[in-house]
Amino acid sequence: MGSKRPARREFLKSGAALAGGFALGGAAPAIGQTPSSPPMLKGDKDLIAYGERSRFVTSVRIAHGGRPSPDGFGLVFHVASPLQDSVGVITPSSLHFVGTTRGSYIPEIDPQEHRLMIHGMVDRPLTFTMEDLKRLPSVTRLHFIECAGNRTSPKAKTVQETHGMTSCAEWTGVPLSLLLKECGLKGSASWFVAEGSEEVKGASSIPIGKGMDDCLVAYGMNGEALRPQQGFPLRLMVPGFEGIFHTKYLRRIKVTDRYYMNYNDYGHLDRESDEAALGFQIGPKSVITFPSGGQQLPGRGFYEIRGLAWSGGGAVRKVEVSTDGGKRWNDAEIKGTAQRMAHARFTYQWNWDGNETELLSRCTDELGSVQPSRAQVAKFFNKPLDESFSVPGLDNTIQPWRIASDGSVRNGNA
Ligand SMILES: Nc1nc2c(c(=O)[nH]1)N[C@H]1C(S)=C(S)[C@@H](COP(=O)(O)O)O[C@H]1N2
Ligand SMILES: [Mo]
């Protein structure tokens, strides 16, 4: 902490002074007096063999409202992560959002039986077992996945509902470029189709340049094997591209000389050409996770505003926070070193004066792209900014959270 910045004790004191006697935290036992010991956890097999969180921690994923299965299966389509309770940049595997194009169907795959075949416009088609893949040189990288449908809506109340279809994990696997080189690409190779193991393959066409650049065939997540919900035993990571390209249960890669139309194109075919030109890549984006919709500030005084920022264009370079509805923008602090195509945690120290206001955050990525407001996007598409306005294509607009004078927080787009 810099010498000019007041020490924590003074923060708390000034908070108390500002709020007229409001204190942070409850009454502590006097010095020298020991609090009574809590009861002991039972030496339960479940707690020792694998581990569980405390029963006092209850944050869970929820079905993402208003996202029915696109083909009418009517099952849970996408499941959102509780960002309002998140800390740091890693989403615990148990809380990573889940995206399934055909409802809550998750195949159970025996890794001994699983194969990855690479064929098409290659010199040597090859088939890999999981054991083969694990013998190859590996990389470990932090990356977010975000569903293209992760959009704010005036009706959504919490950050889990507006932004919970993004998550960030540490992924381990083999660079796809290494496998493609083993197979030898033919000169005409320009796309590849990645296919999952389900009845409906979850296949997507991806430019071969992206495959050679930074795609990953991942078997590890947050220090252990992938979870079934995340594609056990093998998934494709396509850093910075829409979630739908990150093929789970990966079993086949066909190298092609053209775009192949697949089931996954359901969401992309009817786009306007200027929307389609926005491409597969997620734009610079950020959201304040605390304070966020549905939360309640206990009173005026000191708060650390916290949020997440990310971009498909690379690392987050800068995040700004406004505490007055966008009149002034202040640089937020980015915790640690921002990684490419990964969530970055930002914070901003704020003394709330108790008046109604609006909190905003704005991300700039390493390409210099800046997160737009909904008003800017509406103007770009020449549409009125009313209740019915929905951002075309990927929605990376600034999320406003309105703080009422009673400390309640709600969606500023409502
Ligand atoms: N095989 C397969 N891969 C898939 C899907 C699927 O249904 N089947 N869903 C896609 C979608 S729409 C998204 S948003 C991401 C979500 O990844 P996650 O469930 O690990 O968060 O996986 C993609 N990969
Ligand atoms: Mo998705």
Side-chain angles (χ1 to χ4, degrees):
M1 202 176 251
S3 58
K4 288 221 183 87
R5 297 201 20 216
R8 183 181 146 78
R9 280 180 67 89
E10 275 152 46
F11 260 134
L12 302 192
K13 264 198 286 176
S14 66
L18 268 170
F22 168 75
L24 283 171
I31 308 286
Q33 192 186 322
T34 348
S36 61
S37 302
M40 300 301 282
L41 278 169
K42 294 230 166 56
D44 189 82
K45 179 174 167 289
D46 293 338
L47 289 173
I48 296 199
Y50 190 69
E52 269 177 29
R53 63 183 176 175
S54 160
R55 69 186 171 90
F56 298 105
V57 181
T58 54
S59 191
V60 289
R61 297 186 281 220
I62 53 166
H64 192 259
R67 302 275 304 158
S69 190
D71 52 13
F73 264 42
L75 299 171
V76 172
F77 175 41
H78 277 40
V79 179
S81 185
L83 299 186
Q84 65 279 6
D85 301 319
S86 67
V87 292
V89 293
I90 294 193
T91 312
S93 301
S94 299
L95 296 176
H96 196 285
F97 94 93
V98 187
T100 45
T101 50
R102 288 289 289 265
S104 52
Y105 173 72
I106 291 164
E108 182 168 55
I109 299 173
D110 178 348
Q112 298 276 2
E113 304 294 317
H114 193 72
R115 301 286 182 273
L116 170 65
M117 175 169 71
I118 303 184
H119 69 133
M121 320 226 67
V122 293
D123 300 328
R124 289 171 302 280
L126 291 173
T127 299
F128 301 90
T129 63
M130 289 304 297
E131 212 170 60
D132 293 337
L133 292 171
K134 287 183 179 171
R135 282 175 62 179
L136 294 170
S138 64
V139 292
T140 294
R141 297 197 304 235
L142 214 57
H143 283 309
F144 73 81
I145 302 177
E146 181 181 22
C147 178
N150 199 28
R151 54 185 55 243
T152 184
S153 110
K155 291 188 191 80
K157 289 192 173 64
T158 68
V159 69
Q160 184 165 16
E161 290 164 327
T162 59
H163 289 73
M165 291 198 298
T166 184
S167 293
C168 183
E170 187 199 70
W171 305 94
T172 295
V174 186
L176 178 59
S177 60
L178 191 150
L179 303 178
L180 293 175
K181 280 182 207 153
E182 277 303 298
C183 297
L185 289 179
K186 289 201 192 294
S188 52
S190 51
W191 293 84
F192 68 97
V193 182
E195 181 188 273
S197 303
E198 305 112 299
E199 180 195 0
V200 172
K201 316 292 181 213
S204 285
S205 294
I206 299 162
I208 199 79
K210 181 67 178 172
M212 291 300 285
D213 181 15
D214 60 0
C215 287
L216 207 62
V217 171
Y219 47 78
M221 177 190 186
N222 292 339
E224 60 179 354
L226 289 177
R227 292 286 172 92
Q229 292 80 2
Q230 264 64 55
F232 182 83
L234 197 64
R235 87 173 304 162
L236 184 67
M237 292 297 297
V238 191
F241 274 36
E242 289 180 10
I244 203 164
F245 295 102
H246 297 62
T247 312
K248 305 195 269 195
Y249 324 109
L250 181 69
R251 73 164 181 195
R252 189 156 76 106
I253 285 178
K254 183 174 183 179
V255 179
T256 64
D257 61 359
R258 71 198 65 182
Y259 189 100
Y260 269 38
M261 209 183 279
N262 291 294
Y263 173 83
N264 279 0
D265 289 302
Y266 65 81
H268 302 98
L269 292 181
D270 56 358
R271 280 192 188 163
E272 306 277 330
S273 55
D274 53 350
E275 290 174 30
L278 296 173
F280 306 138
Q281 196 174 292
I282 306 274
K285 195 162 174 178
S286 69
V287 69
I288 292 170
T289 54
F290 174 82
S292 60
Q295 291 176 333
Q296 175 72 45
L297 299 181
R300 61 200 168 124
F302 175 77
Y303 292 95
E304 184 179 66
I305 295 174
R306 301 183 188 122
L308 292 168
W310 62 99
S311 174
V316 169
R317 184 200 284 164
K318 182 168 80 166
V319 181
E320 297 156 290
V321 166
S322 174
T323 58
D324 57 8
K327 286 192 214 81
R328 269 170 309 168
W329 289 93
N330 316 285
D331 279 350
E333 183 187 345
I334 294 176
K335 302 286 179 183
T337 308
Q339 310 281 308
R340 301 189 74 234
M341 293 90 160
H343 285 177
R345 174 64 63 177
F346 67 87
T347 61
Y348 182 72
Q349 322 284 309
W350 180 46
N351 244 310
W352 182 41
D353 60 10
N355 292 323
E356 190 179 313
T357 191
E358 202 165 73
L359 305 181
L360 314 167
S361 66
R362 180 166 73 186
C363 170
T364 303
D365 68 16
E366 66 177 84
L367 301 175
S369 307
V370 184
Q371 182 181 6
S373 66
R374 267 165 75 85
Q376 286 169 318
V377 174
K379 200 172 162 214
F380 177 82
F381 285 103
N382 210 1
K383 290 190 177 132
L385 180 62
D386 54 21
E387 263 251 0
S388 68
F389 177 68
S390 162
V391 173
L394 299 167
D395 180 351
N396 67 327
T397 57
I398 290 171
Q399 172 67 46
W401 297 121
R402 192 156 298 153
I403 315 286
S405 51
D406 67 359
S408 61
V409 189
R410 63 182 176 83
N411 190 342
N413 287 327

